């Protein structure tokens, strides 16, 4: 399971973005987190992805409490979660061609021999032609870049996926295609999903259950 227990998290000043929020995700299931912009759901998603240390509370990943964050987290925990952000241009190194963007986690984890087979496999899975893999982010569309970012999130075969407004900047056909890729991956691997968004129709169709931010915040003292 992925358990967020009484999480309070902010950005070092003012009122915390998240205050005393708990949420539990079951393996193999998909949970939608629905709420308006600015409510704190993206901060909670970053905590779930080991990218933001909470001020208080505990993240328990597959039975083990997380005590270190970002690159300091143990590799086993760090690679258990794949994350896709809303804005691919802020999440991608502009210097890297799409091939290297997708391969980056493999190289960082010392798994270079897998690059030759894993990158083309995932590129095809997300709908990126081989002709696009040599292009840099400024040479492709937002949709093409988000496809590469999803491939990067899947390249280490994570047990958990966090999709933070993954489709918010995409046209309807691209959004549907990427949701389809995520669901195909989950069906193949049994991965759990946290999908953050503000579109109730999308989350209700995509996820096994949808949690409204107001319900979580309503339990806050």
């Amino acid at each position: 399971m992925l358990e967020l227990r009484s999480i309070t998290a902010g950005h070092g000043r003012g009122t915390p973005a998240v205050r005393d929020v708990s949420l539990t995700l079951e393996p193999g299931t998909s949970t939608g987190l629905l709420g308006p912009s600015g409510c704190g759901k993206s901060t909670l998603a970053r905590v779930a992805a080991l990218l933001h240390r909470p001020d208080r509370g505990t993240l328990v990943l597959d039975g083990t409490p997380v005590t270190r964050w970002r690159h300091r987290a143990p590799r086993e925990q760090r690679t258990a979660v794949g994350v896709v952000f809303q804005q691919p241009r802020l999440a991608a190194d502009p210097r890297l061609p799409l091939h290297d963007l997708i391969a980056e986690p493999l190289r960082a984890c010392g798994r270079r021999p897998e690059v030759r087979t894993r990158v083309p496999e995932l590129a095809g899975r997300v709908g990126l032609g081989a002709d696009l893999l040599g292009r840099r982010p400024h040479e492709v569309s937002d949709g093409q870049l988000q496809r590469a970012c999803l491939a990067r999130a899947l390249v280490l075969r994570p047990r958990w996926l966090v999709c933070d407004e993954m489709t918010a900047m995409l046209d309807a056909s691209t959004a549907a295609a990427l949701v389809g890729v995520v669901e195909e991956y989950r069906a193949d691997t049994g991965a759990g999903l946290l999908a953050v968004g503000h579109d109730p129709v999308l989350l209700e169709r995509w996820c096994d259950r949808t949690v409204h931010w107001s319900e979580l915040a309503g339990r806050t003292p």
Side-chain angles (χ1 to χ4, degrees), residues 64-76:
T64 303
V66 174
T67 59
R68 290 184 289 171
W69 304 81
R70 297 182 71 88
H71 62 278
R72 294 185 178 87
R75 180 174 295 177
E76 171 64 19

Side-chain angles (χ1 to χ4, degrees), residues 2-4 7 9 23 25 33 41-54 58-61 66 68-85 153 158-164 192-196:
L2 194 159
E3 301 172 80
L4 295 142
I7 297 295
L23 182 64
L25 310 178
L33 180 56
K41 61 188 187 299
S42 289
T43 299
L44 189 68
R46 290 180 63 83
V47 173
L50 281 71
L51 297 175
H52 187 95
R53 179 189 290 272
T58 304
L59 171 63
V60 181
L61 184 61
V66 174
R68 290 184 289 171
W69 304 81
R70 297 182 71 88
H71 62 278
R72 294 185 178 87
R75 180 174 295 177
E76 171 64 19
Q77 290 186 331
R78 192 172 69 245
T79 59
V81 185
V83 58
V84 188
F85 298 102
R159 298 188 299 277
W160 300 94
L161 285 172
V162 176
C163 295
D164 184 10
L193 168 70
L194 175 63
V196 175

Side-chain angles (χ1 to χ4, degrees), residues 11 15-18 35-43 86 164-165 196-198 213:
H11 302 283
T15 303
V18 175
S37 297
C39 68
K41 61 188 187 299
S42 289
T43 299
Q86 175 181 353
D164 184 10
E165 301 273 14
V196 175
H198 62 266
W213 183 260

Side-chain angles (χ1 to χ4, degrees), residues 13-212:
R13 59 186 184 279
T15 303
V18 175
R19 189 188 296 273
D20 196 27
V21 168
S22 297
L23 182 64
T24 298
L25 310 178
E26 300 281 348
T29 65
S30 53
T31 298
L33 180 56
L34 176 67
S37 297
C39 68
K41 61 188 187 299
S42 289
T43 299
L44 189 68
R46 290 180 63 83
V47 173
L50 281 71
L51 297 175
H52 187 95
R53 179 189 290 272
D55 301 322
R56 291 189 296 278
T58 304
L59 171 63
V60 181
L61 184 61
D62 297 323
T64 303
V66 174
T67 59
R68 290 184 289 171
W69 304 81
R70 297 182 71 88
H71 62 278
R72 294 185 178 87
R75 180 174 295 177
E76 171 64 19
Q77 290 186 331
R78 192 172 69 245
T79 59
V81 185
V83 58
V84 188
F85 298 102
Q86 175 181 353
Q87 300 185 55
R89 299 201 182 278
L90 297 181
D93 187 331
R95 300 168 297 179
L96 295 181
L98 301 192
H99 177 281
D100 293 348
L101 177 71
I102 298 169
E104 190 177 19
L106 289 171
R107 290 170 173 157
C109 290
R111 293 163 57 176
R112 287 177 179 269
E114 297 180 48
V115 169
R116 178 174 295 182
T117 57
R118 189 77 174 133
V119 172
E121 171 200 339
L122 277 173
R125 193 167 191 173
V126 301
L128 284 177
D131 59 311
L132 293 174
L133 294 182
R135 299 184 187 180
R136 288 177 169 77
H138 72 276
E139 298 174 312
V140 298
S141 68
D142 287 345
Q144 290 165 336
L145 185 55
Q146 191 68 306
R147 290 174 189 269
C149 288
L150 175 56
R152 178 181 60 183
L154 300 179
V155 75
L156 294 177
R157 299 181 176 87
R159 298 188 299 277
W160 300 94
L161 285 172
V162 176
C163 295
D164 184 10
E165 301 273 14
M166 178 183 76
T167 64
M169 300 182 67
L170 307 178
D171 61 69
S173 62
T174 303
L178 294 194
V179 168
V181 171
V182 170
E183 288 309 289
E184 183 182 81
Y185 176 81
R186 293 202 319 108
D188 290 346
T189 65
L193 168 70
L194 175 63
V196 175
H198 62 266
D199 182 346
V201 175
L202 173 65
L203 293 182
E204 291 290 347
R205 290 178 177 174
W206 186 1
C207 299
D208 299 323
R209 65 166 179 146
T210 298
V211 178
H212 292 254

